[in-house]
Amino acid sequence: MMNSYCPFPDDFVWGAATAAYQVEGAAAKDGRSASVWDVFCRRPGSVRHGHNGDVATDHYHRFSADVALMRQLGLRAYRFSISWSRVIPDGVGRVNPAGFDFYERLVDTLLGAGIQPWATLFHWDLPHALEERFGGWESAECARAFGDYAHQVAQRLGDRLAGVFTTNEFFCFLDKGYGFDPELFAPGKQVSRRVLNQARHHAIYGHGLAVQAIRSACGRRVPVGLAENPAACVPIRETPADIDAARRAFREMTGMYLTPIFEGQYHPAYLETEGSDAPVFADEEMRTISTPLDFAGFNLYAPTYVRSAPETPRGWAQVRCDDEYPRVGMPWLLLGPSIMYWVPRFASELWRVPAIHITENGCADPEMGEGDAQVWDLARVMYLQQHLATMHRAIAEGYPVKGYFHWSLMDNFEWAYGYTRRFGLCHVDTTTLERTPKLSAQVYSDIIRRNALGGVVPELPPGHLVS
């Protein structure tokens, strides 16, 4: 249960997040080339109703109005991603000045509105040219190209960014895009275990190269981290045995991604399980991969429940949720607010992460009719309040949670679901593209202004969203 009054630190970062392919549109404008998602969307049957991101929410042309909306909401930060295809159309080599000009204008507009710009370098939309040339992350050349791309971004934008995320969710663009869900995720190809494991290695190697490139190219020390969606392990009971089991499960289940990044070595269970299909690598690559980070970003949506299982070799076991377990708008989106406490706690205990940001957290609305003046998204309001309450517990107990970015600022292109699922604080009419704050936006705005959960709502200033 939420306490009656839960204040947050004065410097806590309240924001919202989007991704380039999901909101920008202008897919063939001003020199942008195709990404793997542009190509994937044109594969018959890949995306519901044949939807694509050609227009998306037209953030490319409407960003000034969107920043004004952010300011009206009281957001202190905006996490956006940069389209690699827009700024370096071939993935390597020639830089597109018009592409960088868009992001410079966006960043300057955010700063002018008093909103911190946080940039993600890669949110799944690999330039298709690199897929054609190298097989994408199958090749170490893609990792080196990513390091060069990071260098270019840092040179042009680094002096104005509040923070940089190298990558977003390895599991989605690798495990799903390369084999587990090739019909739902770009580039939509089926590869062998050996190829997938090597691609995983190249991707985290690219992350390490990007961290080093940002620090070498930027004229000042800009905080660098990543945004990852680890298995959000939660002990089935708060007993010492179950807590220890969940902690060990958390480390093992991200043994191919976060464990090497923070420890400089793959989890032994991962290498043992993969056997002869395990990635091949050099010690120098592992040193690059484990370049120290300034923060870790966690995208937290659904829990993975774990119990102590001394009868098993691992000593832990996952407890599966049945069909009656509550979900929020998506088949995979199990409701479990305690993830906001346990993931920061385990990351802090295991890796002594200096700072933690919740880089995504939110839930979906189903497809709805257009023209509604107000969206009473009570499920999202409940989801938001309960997740923030358990995040507050982590902060109160001393774990270094420094910021929260709600997913998402506005309804947008939801990948294989097209425009049939809505994660936004703001409703977007798919015909007119008009933005309308939902009830959740009003509630979030009040939380930000009070910098607290609960308590008495203070007198509202003129023009505030709440009526």
Side-chain angles (χ1 to χ4, degrees), residues 255-320:
M256 70 293 291
Y257 296 131
L258 289 182
T259 301
I261 286 171
F262 286 112
E263 299 181 19
Q265 58 185 357
Y266 289 106
H267 194 286
Y270 168 60
L271 297 179
E272 180 181 350
T273 299
E274 298 302 326
S276 61
D277 290 333
V280 177
F281 53 87
D283 290 343
E284 179 58 33
E285 292 172 349
M286 297 307 295
R287 284 191 288 270
T288 298
I289 287 167
S290 59
T291 302
L293 301 179
D294 299 298
F295 63 85
F298 295 121
N299 298 352
L300 301 181
Y301 290 98
T304 298
Y305 291 109
V306 175
R307 66 174 177 88
S308 175
E311 72 279 6
T312 67
R314 291 177 174 176
W316 60 269
Q318 186 174 345
V319 181
R320 304 287 180 177

Side-chain angles (χ1 to χ4, degrees), residues 147-158:
D148 293 340
Y149 159 57
H151 183 92
Q152 295 288 351
V153 172
Q155 277 193 324
R156 288 165 171 78
L157 299 174

